[in-house]
Amino acid sequence: MQWWRGVAGLLAAAGVLSWSTASQPQRVAVGGWHLAAFPVEQFVSYTSPFGPRGDEFHYGLDIAAPEGSYIRNWWVGQVVQVSQDGYCGTTVIIASGRWRHVYCHLRGQPRNIRGVNYLDDPGSGLVIREGQWVPTGARIGRVGMTGRTTGPHLHWGLQYDGNWIDPALILRAMYHQRQAQRRTG
Ligand SMILES: [Zn+2]
């Protein structure tokens, strides 16, 4: 299944999208969204949208994918955090200008070597560490079950200037620009 097939349903399900928040991410990267990478290689489904969930707020989009399948970097940037906690599990955070993209529940764990945190995921073939620059679409980890999760998925969070953005808005912008490129290109 192609990742964009689920986008319309996901947006309809969310139902709470406001164009005042939607206009901001579209304005900041006009002309570039089609270059962004979808963050999982083996998309299965969207399992939980951004927004209120019970008595908490879900600050990201959950994307189910097979355990051990690769996660891809959404946009070229610098790894600013490799860490672990009880909710997000093993976490990689990448900074791209004013954006931060957060990847949770990864396989493996952080390991500190001479003051620098690395992602220790034996068998992945990856070397990911804080301070490293990673290109768009590069593999940055694998889908795991660390932290609070009932099944293998990527929790993908996006921040712009410190404000959480619904990743579905970005996926929609990526999809529309891809379609536009196809028509003109
Ligand atoms: Zn989540």
Side-chain angles (χ1 to χ4, degrees), residues 48 53 58-63 104-105 153-156:
S48 188
R53 186 169 71 179
H58 185 229
Y59 289 99
L61 171 63
D62 289 350
I63 307 172
C104 295
H105 312 307
H153 73 279
L154 171 67
H155 170 101
W156 186 40

Short mmCIF file of all heavy atoms in Angstrom, two decimals, residues 48 53 58-63 104-105 153-156, ligand 1:
data_model
loop_
_atom_site.label_atom_id
_atom_site.label_comp_id
_atom_site.label_asym_id
_atom_site.label_seq_id
_atom_site.Cartn_x
_atom_site.Cartn_y
_atom_site.Cartn_z
N SER A 48 -3.00 6.12 14.68
CA SER A 48 -3.51 7.10 15.63
C SER A 48 -3.14 8.50 15.15
O SER A 48 -1.96 8.79 14.96
CB SER A 48 -2.95 6.84 17.03
OG SER A 48 -3.58 7.67 17.98
N ARG A 53 -6.74 12.60 22.52
CA ARG A 53 -6.93 11.15 22.60
C ARG A 53 -7.24 10.83 24.05
O ARG A 53 -6.35 10.84 24.89
CB ARG A 53 -5.67 10.43 22.11
CG ARG A 53 -5.82 8.94 22.02
CD ARG A 53 -4.67 8.30 21.28
NE ARG A 53 -3.42 8.34 22.05
CZ ARG A 53 -2.27 7.83 21.63
NH1 ARG A 53 -2.18 7.26 20.44
NH2 ARG A 53 -1.20 7.89 22.38
N HIS A 58 -2.35 13.77 21.79
CA HIS A 58 -1.35 12.97 21.07
C HIS A 58 -0.57 13.88 20.11
O HIS A 58 -1.10 14.29 19.08
CB HIS A 58 -2.09 11.85 20.31
CG HIS A 58 -1.18 10.89 19.63
ND1 HIS A 58 -1.32 10.52 18.32
CD2 HIS A 58 -0.11 10.22 20.10
CE1 HIS A 58 -0.37 9.66 18.01
NE2 HIS A 58 0.38 9.45 19.08
N TYR A 59 0.68 14.16 20.48
CA TYR A 59 1.49 15.15 19.74
C TYR A 59 2.26 14.52 18.59
O TYR A 59 3.46 14.78 18.42
CB TYR A 59 2.46 15.85 20.68
CG TYR A 59 1.78 16.79 21.65
CD1 TYR A 59 1.50 16.38 22.95
CD2 TYR A 59 1.41 18.06 21.24
CE1 TYR A 59 0.87 17.24 23.84
CE2 TYR A 59 0.78 18.92 22.12
CZ TYR A 59 0.52 18.50 23.41
OH TYR A 59 -0.11 19.35 24.28
N GLY A 60 1.59 13.69 17.83
CA GLY A 60 2.28 13.08 16.70
C GLY A 60 1.33 12.20 15.94
O GLY A 60 0.13 12.13 16.25
N LEU A 61 1.86 11.54 14.94
CA LEU A 61 1.09 10.64 14.09
C LEU A 61 1.71 9.25 14.23
O LEU A 61 2.94 9.11 14.12
CB LEU A 61 1.18 11.12 12.64
CG LEU A 61 0.62 10.20 11.55
CD1 LEU A 61 -0.89 10.01 11.73
CD2 LEU A 61 0.92 10.79 10.17
N ASP A 62 0.87 8.26 14.50
CA ASP A 62 1.38 6.88 14.62
C ASP A 62 1.24 6.18 13.27
O ASP A 62 0.15 6.15 12.69
CB ASP A 62 0.60 6.11 15.69
CG ASP A 62 0.93 6.59 17.09
OD1 ASP A 62 1.89 7.39 17.24
OD2 ASP A 62 0.25 6.17 18.03
N ILE A 63 2.34 5.61 12.83
CA ILE A 63 2.38 4.92 11.54
C ILE A 63 2.85 3.48 11.80
O ILE A 63 3.98 3.26 12.18
CB ILE A 63 3.35 5.60 10.56
CG1 ILE A 63 3.02 7.10 10.44
CG2 ILE A 63 3.31 4.92 9.21
CD1 ILE A 63 4.05 7.90 9.63
N CYS A 104 9.95 8.07 17.54
CA CYS A 104 9.86 7.35 18.82
C CYS A 104 9.68 5.85 18.63
O CYS A 104 9.27 5.40 17.57
CB CYS A 104 8.67 7.86 19.63
SG CYS A 104 8.79 9.56 20.16
N HIS A 105 9.93 5.12 19.72
CA HIS A 105 9.73 3.66 19.83
C HIS A 105 10.71 2.87 18.97
O HIS A 105 10.41 1.76 18.51
CB HIS A 105 8.29 3.26 19.47
CG HIS A 105 7.23 4.08 20.15
ND1 HIS A 105 7.19 4.26 21.52
CD2 HIS A 105 6.18 4.78 19.65
CE1 HIS A 105 6.14 5.01 21.82
NE2 HIS A 105 5.53 5.36 20.72
N HIS A 153 5.23 0.42 15.73
CA HIS A 153 4.87 1.58 14.91
C HIS A 153 5.88 2.68 15.13
O HIS A 153 6.62 2.67 16.11
CB HIS A 153 3.45 2.08 15.24
CG HIS A 153 3.36 2.79 16.56
ND1 HIS A 153 3.26 2.13 17.78
CD2 HIS A 153 3.35 4.12 16.86
CE1 HIS A 153 3.20 3.03 18.75
NE2 HIS A 153 3.25 4.24 18.24
N LEU A 154 5.89 3.62 14.21
CA LEU A 154 6.66 4.85 14.40
C LEU A 154 5.72 5.93 14.92
O LEU A 154 4.68 6.19 14.30
CB LEU A 154 7.27 5.31 13.06
CG LEU A 154 7.91 6.70 13.09
CD1 LEU A 154 9.15 6.72 13.97
CD2 LEU A 154 8.24 7.18 11.68
N HIS A 155 6.06 6.52 16.04
CA HIS A 155 5.40 7.76 16.46
C HIS A 155 6.25 8.89 15.89
O HIS A 155 7.42 9.03 16.23
CB HIS A 155 5.32 7.86 17.99
CG HIS A 155 4.87 9.21 18.47
ND1 HIS A 155 3.59 9.47 18.89
CD2 HIS A 155 5.55 10.39 18.58
CE1 HIS A 155 3.50 10.76 19.24
NE2 HIS A 155 4.67 11.33 19.06
N TRP A 156 5.64 9.67 15.01
CA TRP A 156 6.36 10.73 14.30
C TRP A 156 5.82 12.08 14.73
O TRP A 156 4.63 12.37 14.55
CB TRP A 156 6.18 10.52 12.79
CG TRP A 156 6.97 11.44 11.93
CD1 TRP A 156 8.24 11.86 12.12
CD2 TRP A 156 6.53 12.05 10.70
NE1 TRP A 156 8.63 12.69 11.09
CE2 TRP A 156 7.60 12.81 10.21
CE3 TRP A 156 5.34 12.00 9.97
CZ2 TRP A 156 7.52 13.54 9.03
CZ3 TRP A 156 5.25 12.72 8.80
CH2 TRP A 156 6.34 13.47 8.33
ZN ZN B 1 2.07 8.17 19.06
#
